[in-house]
Amino acid sequence: MKTSKKIILTLIAFLFTIGMGISDATPVYAYETPLEYGQTYTYTGEELQDFAFSFETSTTKKLKLTVQSLNGKELCVDGYFLINSDYDDDDYDDYDDYDDYDDYDDDYYDELLEDFDTTYFESTFIMNPGKCTLYITTYEDDTQFSICLQDVGTYTKSIKLSKSKLKMTVGDAQTLKAKPTPSNAMMGKITWKSSNKSVAEVSSNGRVNAKKLGKTIISAQLAGGNTAKCTVYVNNDTIYLAKGKSKTVKLQNVSSKVSWKVKNSTIATVSKTGKVTAKKDGKTTITYKKDGISYTVNIIVTDFKELEKKARTAIKPYLKDPDSLKIYTTSRTTYDEKPALFISLGAKNSYGAYVRDYCWIYYNNQHKIKVIFL
């Protein structure tokens, strides 16, 4: 069946045009009739006539599909689950022969249901979120058949999350998973929310993205059921400062009064309001503890004079002829919000010719020098 999809779709387009044997259901997808749960549809087919149906779900469901010949004439049932959302029917035309069509379909579809030469087909299966396309072929004229799709799952009204407490670093992402109670039950639609989106956001599938230091509550609301919650503490961050510069660190939804402690005040100081001032080239941390949660901010301080002294040594390992290095200009700038040097340089390549190049030099989160060439 997969090798004849283009022929099938062309034929079905014609059938919809002349209205032969098609119910009153309005197609959602081109050439396909959508199936609604619990409804029985009846059709009459001709010799080698193909019918296409579709059904989809946004949550995992237990479904039962029944296809029955009403006058004893055989038919074929073939169903495919779309496994690649990048499917484009226009790409199908680029394949040269039927063997290529098979290769193409294997990349995009997974066979879910199949039965040839049958008068009665029944299958109960687990349908993951996505779309299934179902093809039914009648072999003889005046073949009458019915088709019915039922939702037969037992759905829970109670869920819990994989974690009730989560600690995160700014910029990181983790996924919370909702689990049904009992574990073998099915789950309906889940709506995810964050009580403080400035601290962390959550996607429609439970993916949590940490944005700022602070605390938020991630909730998962089960349609027709309970709400499960996870407290997310974004308690780790790193800031980069040039010597002499300052930045104020704030905690969202934690406490109105925060008393930070600095590990090494010769590198950076912190005021009562959370203002961090860079003093000396190096790395230190400031910390604050609230309700058993320690909030830590790594402070990376760049003294441009010190970084300029290290530039030549840092660049040489990347060159074919390190001793030929010439630095033409050095500019103080930023790279990915980090204090950085932008350097114009020249050096001999493997053929002995001088080549002009450019690079950024900065400290990473461990206060180690990083070199990035343009």
Side-chain angles (χ1 to χ4, degrees), residues 187-205:
M187 291 186 295
K189 183 179 179 180
I190 295 175
T191 302
W192 296 87
K193 290 183 180 180
S194 171
S195 65
N196 193 327
K197 294 181 180 179
S198 65
V199 173
E201 292 183 330
V202 62
S203 70
S204 59
N205 61 357

Side-chain angles (χ1 to χ4, degrees), residues 5 65 91 104 201 271 325 356:
K5 276 197 184 74
L65 179 70
D91 295 339
Y104 179 74
E201 292 183 330
S271 70
L325 171 63
R356 192 71 173 259

Side-chain angles (χ1 to χ4, degrees), residues 97-239:
D97 53 41
Y98 286 119
D99 290 336
D100 288 339
Y101 292 156
D102 274 341
D103 292 338
Y104 179 74
D105 287 332
D106 287 343
D107 290 337
Y108 290 89
Y109 289 92
D110 186 22
E111 193 141 45
L112 184 65
L113 308 162
E114 184 178 56
D115 197 0
F116 295 95
D117 305 334
T118 184
T119 58
Y120 183 83
F121 174 83
E122 180 181 292
S123 178
T124 301
F125 54 93
I126 300 298
M127 175 78 173
N128 291 318
K131 173 191 171 186
C132 180
T133 301
L134 180 70
Y135 299 98
I136 295 179
T137 303
T138 54
Y139 297 130
E140 302 179 55
D141 289 342
D142 194 34
T143 300
Q144 299 175 6
F145 70 93
S146 64
I147 180 171
C148 180
L149 181 68
Q150 296 173 284
D151 185 348
V152 295
T154 300
Y155 294 91
T156 183
K157 291 187 177 181
S158 177
I159 60 171
K160 62 180 180 179
L161 297 182
S162 52
K163 293 182 179 179
S164 60
K165 181 188 292 185
L166 188 60
K167 297 179 183 178
M168 299 185 69
T169 298
V170 172
D172 285 353
Q174 293 191 43
T175 300
L176 291 172
K177 294 183 178 180
K179 299 180 179 180
T181 303
S183 60
N184 62 345
M186 312 294 288
M187 291 186 295
K189 183 179 179 180
I190 295 175
T191 302
W192 296 87
K193 290 183 180 180
S194 171
S195 65
N196 193 327
K197 294 181 180 179
S198 65
V199 173
E201 292 183 330
V202 62
S203 70
S204 59
N205 61 357
R207 185 75 168 171
V208 181
N209 292 282
K211 300 177 67 178
K212 290 183 179 180
L213 289 171
K215 181 178 74 172
T216 186
I217 306 296
I218 302 297
S219 61
Q221 170 68 56
L222 174 65
N226 70 323
T227 299
K229 297 181 179 181
C230 173
T231 303
V232 174
Y233 301 93
V234 182
N235 67 326
N236 194 284
D237 194 10
T238 300
I239 63 174

